[in-house]
Structure formats: C-alpha cells, structure tokens
Amino acid sequence: MAAGQIRVGIGGWTFEPWRGTFYPEGLRQKDELAYVGQHLTATEINATYYGTQKAASFANWAKAVPDGFQFAVKASRYCTNRRVLAEAGESIAKFTGQGIAELGDKLGPILWQFMPTKKFDAEDFGAFLKLLPASVDGVKLRHALEVRHESFDDPAFLALARDSGAAVVFADHDEYPAIKGHDVGFSYSRLMRTREEEATGYPADQIAAWAKKAREQAKAGDVYAFFISGAKVRAPAAAQAMMVALK
C-alpha cells in the first residue's frame, strides 16, 4: 500500500501578528492565503465555525493555492455546540451544503470540534455520527472529531468513531485529553503548545518527534498536522520547521 501524504499547516491565514514575522512586510492582505499555499501544505478554515460562507469564497480559496494543498474545514458551531447532538441534522445539512464542494480535491477533512464541557453520551453521539454525510455534490467527505472532555477517553467512543470511519483528533494541549483513535485511513493532530520564547514554537527535538510520528502514521494513510493556539505567532515557524524535519 502506498504511503499517505503528510500535510502540515496552521489555523487560518488572517492573523495580524504574522505580518512581518511570517508574511513579508508590505504583502497585501489579499495575497496572504497564496503565501501560505507557497510555504505550507494545509490550513484550517476557521470562518466556517462562526458562520456560513459563500460558495464563491471556497472557489476563490481553492484557486489561490497550488495543487496538493488542502483545507481542513471547521464545522459550524451550530452543529456541535448543542445539548442534543442527534438534533443537528438540519445544521449539518446547511453547513455541508454551503459550498465546501467548491474546494474539490483541495478539500481535506471536516473538523467537528466539541466544547470542553460536552460529555460523552454513547446513544446521542452515535446518532450524531449517523448524520454525517459521506459526500456532498460528488465530493467525498472525511470527518475528524475533536473532543475535549475526559469522558470521551472511552472504548465505546473509540469504537463508534472507528465504525463510522471518523478520525479522532489527537490534541497536544495542557488541558484537553490526548486521545488516540483507531486507524481509519487518515490521521489528524492539533499541536497547541507552541511557546513564544521558542523561535520554532516547539523545541527542535519535539519537532523531530512530531515528524517521526507523522511518518509512522503515513503508513496507514494521509496525515494532517496543524500548529495552532499556544503562541500562535510561532505557528507558521513550527509548521515550516516540521516540513524541514520531514525532508
């Protein structure tokens, strides 16, 4: 079996402190996504978490980056921040139908992020997973679940995720549980401990360790690793350092 592709990225592309640190001085804001596309291999779209975007926006984002680059799309909070997840069907349909298919082969996984207060309820979560579509407008969808409450560190949750083909996001974070899911053909990590005093966010030995882990994961499928949160100003440097370590 051929190894999967390893893509390394950041969260979004509009962040003022990156101007002059990651982005060159004088780079036009409208050219920032293209710059990300030239120097990294993936990014998360955060705007979709807060509100519906236009189909034309997705099409324009896809045009701004080179072949091989992919966007992970953060699902709407209206899908995940609710008491009864089984009732999210209408919100899920609205989210998946807003135009994400315009990304085409530049569409990476859908990130379904749950609040730290959301506890695992096997029946309700199982019903939610059944609502996630396998495709939209002919474009295949892959789903990644980011759960943040320790109750999800449960074999029942891991089995539900595996059986639905959804990846469990591995979070490197001071407070959220680092849950390791089953092999479902791709993996998704969110690395959130970058430190501002470290030029590359993480020390070199830790960057090397993440690169080694990614190579192992790639034996089973595509790998997505995003440096986000923490000292966000260092995220692009961390991502670039990991890409160098992977060479």
Side-chain angles (χ1 to χ4, degrees):
M1 179 176 136
Q5 288 202 18
I6 301 173
R7 292 182 174 88
V8 185
I10 53 180
W13 55 88
T14 304
F15 185 56
E16 198 279 331
W18 288 341
R19 294 167 189 154
T21 55
F22 173 46
Y23 298 132
E25 292 285 358
L27 183 73
R28 297 180 304 177
Q29 186 172 339
K30 69 176 185 177
D31 294 330
E32 290 175 348
L33 175 56
Y35 190 86
V36 170
Q38 292 161 11
H39 293 84
L40 303 175
T41 46
T43 193
E44 290 181 349
I45 298 176
N46 297 315
T48 45
Y49 178 75
Y50 299 102
T52 303
Q53 308 301 307
K54 296 176 181 177
S57 295
F58 291 99
N60 289 333
W61 295 335
K63 290 174 187 172
V65 296
D67 290 344
F69 186 97
Q70 287 192 346
F71 297 89
V73 183
K74 197 170 181 181
S76 167
R77 57 186 170 170
Y78 297 108
C79 300
T80 55
N81 296 357
R82 53 173 62 236
R83 190 176 64 82
V84 182
L85 292 172
E87 296 174 355
E90 189 175 329
S91 294
I92 290 171
K94 181 179 180 182
F95 163 72
T96 57
Q98 69 187 293
I100 61 175
E102 294 291 332
L103 294 173
D105 60 6
K106 292 173 182 171
L107 173 63
I110 307 299
L111 175 66
W112 303 88
Q113 184 185 84
F114 297 87
M115 298 286 281
T117 52
K118 188 63 178 176
K119 298 179 182 179
F120 176 53
D121 176 317
E123 183 177 352
D124 189 40
F125 208 87
F128 173 83
L129 291 175
K130 287 185 171 69
L131 297 173
L132 303 184
S135 64
V136 60
D137 296 334
V139 177
K140 182 182 176 184
L141 300 182
R142 290 183 289 180
H143 304 288
L145 311 170
E146 185 181 19
V147 293
R148 295 177 160 186
H149 191 276
E150 60 188 10
S151 61
F152 282 90
D153 194 1
D154 182 323
F157 163 64
L158 298 178
L160 281 173
R162 177 200 61 208
D163 293 346
S164 71
V168 175
V169 172
F170 178 86
D172 184 44
H173 191 276
D174 291 332
E175 298 171 17
Y176 306 145
I179 301 175
K180 297 179 181 178
H182 297 283
D183 168 23
V184 294
F186 78 100
S187 61
Y188 198 123
S189 297
R190 301 184 93 221
L191 310 176
M192 299 181 271
R193 293 197 220 211
T194 49
R195 302 197 306 268
E196 190 152 1
E197 66 272 18
E198 196 71 55
T200 55
Y202 279 82
D205 61 332
Q206 292 182 25
I207 293 282
W210 290 124
K212 181 180 178 182
K213 179 182 178 182
R215 284 195 201 94
E216 285 297 311
Q217 291 173 319
K219 294 175 182 177
D222 291 343
V223 177
Y224 298 86
F226 294 97
F227 290 89
I228 57 161
S229 291
K232 188 172 177 178
V233 69
R234 299 295 187 209
Q240 289 178 295
M242 182 166 166
M243 288 173 66
V244 170
L246 286 164
K247 291 180 178 176

